[in-house]
Amino acid sequence: MTNHYDTGRLNLPFTGICTFARGPYQPDWSALDTDVAVLGAPFDAGTQWRSGTRFGPRAIREASTLFSFGHAGAYDHEDDTTYLDGVRITDMGDADIIHTDTLQSHANIRKGVEAALAAGALPVTLGGDHSINIPCIEAYEDQPPFHLLQIDAHLDFVDERHGVTRGHGNPMRRAAEKPWITGLTQVGIRNVSSTAREGYEDARHRGSDILSVRQTRALGSKAAAARLPQGAPVYITIDIDAFCPSIAPGTGTPSHGGFLYYEVLELLQQVAKTHPVVGIDLVEVAPDYDPTGSTSILAAQLLLNLLGFVFHARNKGLTPQTSG
């Protein structure tokens, strides 16, 4: 195996340009040639309380350099597996955000995800508030149907509030309306929520399977993952407030009683083993509320591990390839 040390450059994480995982930057979306296409969606006009997630993509990229020492892949001694060796990760840069214009900003995000799909890459979108999931899902309009796995503190199933239908409380309701979404599994939902009782009833009526943190813990990662439709393609959307604010304070709507790191990681590993993953977004990192930077590091670490699981499963033939 080769690594960056062979070139004679030490290339430490705090040097160079902060692309995601120190991958190449490709601003020409028509020229993407990669396994993973990372798109920034620095949009937070859908926020109802504390804003600041527009700075999430930049912070996650910077944090991701911590895990980019130039090694060929990432060896996990517990799994006795080297993950991400040979996996090409390309940073597309950011979708163009038009301040105060939700519709055009969302349209620009959708174009980025569509470009990644057209290139046969796995789209990974860095938010931004959770409303950015709406254009991400809309980009799959011409793709095969899939199941949606949401990891989040909040149900995000509001239909309309004061005329707003594309805020960060709406994405799972908008997803449930799409004919190419076969169902939702919503994990981590807890405590005082952004969605009223009617929203939960509506979600369940539309086929959602809703699990709290305590219910997920009681089940365990394997049993929780087994609740997803067997073998179905899965899109994964992760709100960083699914985690306990003791380890992820950098978010606009922290909710105590959340997951710890390995609880989510083990669930994602099980899902990646048994389901083809067709897309990922990670949202609601607001770095200014966490001067330690640990929330951004958590986000980057989780994404890199998840990508390792996804491509290990593909390379071992455990799950079918996504498009391309």
Side-chain angles (χ1 to χ4, degrees), residues 128-209:
D129 68 49
H130 213 156
S131 74
I132 68 99
N133 172 261
I134 298 173
C136 288
I137 294 302
E138 289 172 341
Y140 286 77
E141 186 171 4
D142 296 326
Q143 299 291 317
F146 56 86
H147 189 82
L148 181 59
L149 170 61
Q150 174 199 13
I151 300 176
D152 200 328
H154 309 97
L155 198 68
D156 294 347
F157 217 85
V158 176
D159 181 19
E160 176 270 334
R161 186 174 289 156
H162 296 290
V164 175
T165 60
R166 297 177 73 92
H168 74 168
N170 306 116
M172 297 304 105
R173 173 56 187 264
R174 299 285 82 82
E177 295 167 349
K178 302 294 188 288
W180 55 93
I181 303 291
T182 59
L184 284 76
T185 300
Q186 302 178 264
V187 179
I189 316 303
R190 61 187 183 271
N191 297 332
V192 178
S193 175
S194 62
T195 302
R197 181 187 183 95
E198 295 78 26
Y200 284 82
E201 293 171 348
D202 187 23
R204 292 190 175 102
H205 176 72
R206 293 170 181 267
S208 284
D209 184 18

Side-chain angles (χ1 to χ4, degrees), residues 21-37:
R22 302 292 290 274
Y25 171 51
Q26 178 51 273
D28 182 355
W29 294 352
S30 67
L32 287 169
D33 183 16
T34 188
D35 300 309
V36 180

Side-chain angles (χ1 to χ4, degrees), residues 23-24 32 83 97 99 113 127 137 153 166 217 259:
L32 287 169
Y83 292 106
I97 302 304
H99 66 286
V113 178
I137 294 302
R166 297 177 73 92
R217 284 176 177 156
F259 286 118

